[in-house]
């Protein structure tokens, strides 16, 4: 019976591998996430170090109206600073979940951390990459158009042909070599 369950788990792994093969973008995202894992970890470490301010806030809030709801203990101060600093929209949900169960709070924290920070930052990165690729394609298109216009100008000055319809312009072998000998055409081709 146990062997059957192990076999089913292996079969599920094969389905996951099949999904990865049919959709290589998933592997790109997984590799990108694993590459960013160290940087995200360091960022989280800085966030935890910043929680040392919780000690100061706990001391400063004693005897004030802020003590009970936000800074009653160092742990509560860390929670307040972390949640309001990192996830301000989820503060009430996080506080209510923490009152019910610390395990549920931890699961919710990991989910919000994963979804809000990792996925959204990845989407920003993907959008930046798409814009960068679109810019490169547009620049290449402009370069090709400029090269075409310059070469058509050189062909017009060499042959006197009408270049308003570029598809109708033809060169024989001798005209092509003459075109390459022209300094203007050579400069265009080198650039």
């Amino acid at each position: 019976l146990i062997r059957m369950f192990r076999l089913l788990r292996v079969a599920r792994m094969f389905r996951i591998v099949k999904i990865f093969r049919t959709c290589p973008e998933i592997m790109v995202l997984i590799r990108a996430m694993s590459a960013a894992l160290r940087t995200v970890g360091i960022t989280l470490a800085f966030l935890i170090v910043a929680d040392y301010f919780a000690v100061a806030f706990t001391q400063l809030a004693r005897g004030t109206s802020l003590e009970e709801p936000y800074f009653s203990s160092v742990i509560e101060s860390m929670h307040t600073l972390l949640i309001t600093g990192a996830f301000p929209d989820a503060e009430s949900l996080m506080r209510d979940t923490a009152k019910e169960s610390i395990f549920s709070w931890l699961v919710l924290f990991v989910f919000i951390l994963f979804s809000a920070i990792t996925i959204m930052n990845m989407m920003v990165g993907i959008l930046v990459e798409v814009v960068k690729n679109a810019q490169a394609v547009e620049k290449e298109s402009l370069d090709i158009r400029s090269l075409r216009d310059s070469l058509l100008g050189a062909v017009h000055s060499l042959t006197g042909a009408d270049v308003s319809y570029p598809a109708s312009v033809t060169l024989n072998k001798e005209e092509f070599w003459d075109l390459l000998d022209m300094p203007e055409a050579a400069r265009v081709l080198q650039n």
Side-chain angles (χ1 to χ4, degrees), residues 24-159:
E25 292 84 4
I26 294 174
M27 286 305 298
V28 169
L29 289 175
I30 290 172
R31 285 189 185 117
M33 286 172 60
S34 64
L37 193 60
R38 180 172 182 255
T39 307
V40 170
I42 291 170
T43 304
L44 288 176
F46 280 131
L47 192 58
I48 291 170
V49 168
D51 272 344
Y52 279 107
F53 283 98
V55 175
F57 277 104
T58 304
Q59 296 298 320
L60 292 171
R62 283 218 171 115
T64 68
S65 63
L66 297 174
E67 181 180 13
E68 183 58 36
Y70 303 115
F71 304 110
S72 59
S73 67
V74 173
I75 296 295
E76 184 65 28
S77 297
M78 289 175 72
H79 183 260
T80 298
L81 294 175
L82 177 67
I83 298 307
T84 58
F87 316 114
D89 296 336
E91 180 184 5
S92 62
L93 174 64
M94 294 294 285
R95 285 193 184 282
D96 293 343
T97 306
K99 287 177 188 171
E100 292 297 320
S101 164
I102 194 67
F103 179 73
S104 297
W105 178 88
L106 187 61
V107 171
L108 182 63
F109 175 77
V110 168
F111 170 75
I112 290 174
L113 182 71
F114 180 75
S115 65
I117 294 177
T118 307
I119 300 298
M120 293 309 291
N121 285 336
M122 196 180 313
M123 290 303 292
V124 168
I126 289 169
L127 287 174
V128 166
E129 188 68 25
V130 167
V131 169
K132 187 174 109 177
N133 289 341
Q135 178 188 14
V137 167
E138 187 63 27
K139 183 183 181 310
E140 184 177 338
S141 174
L142 288 173
D143 289 345
I144 289 171
R145 198 172 307 133
S146 173
L147 174 65
R148 184 197 69 187
D149 292 345
S150 298
L151 283 176
L152 285 174
V155 166
H156 177 69
S157 64
L158 175 70
T159 64

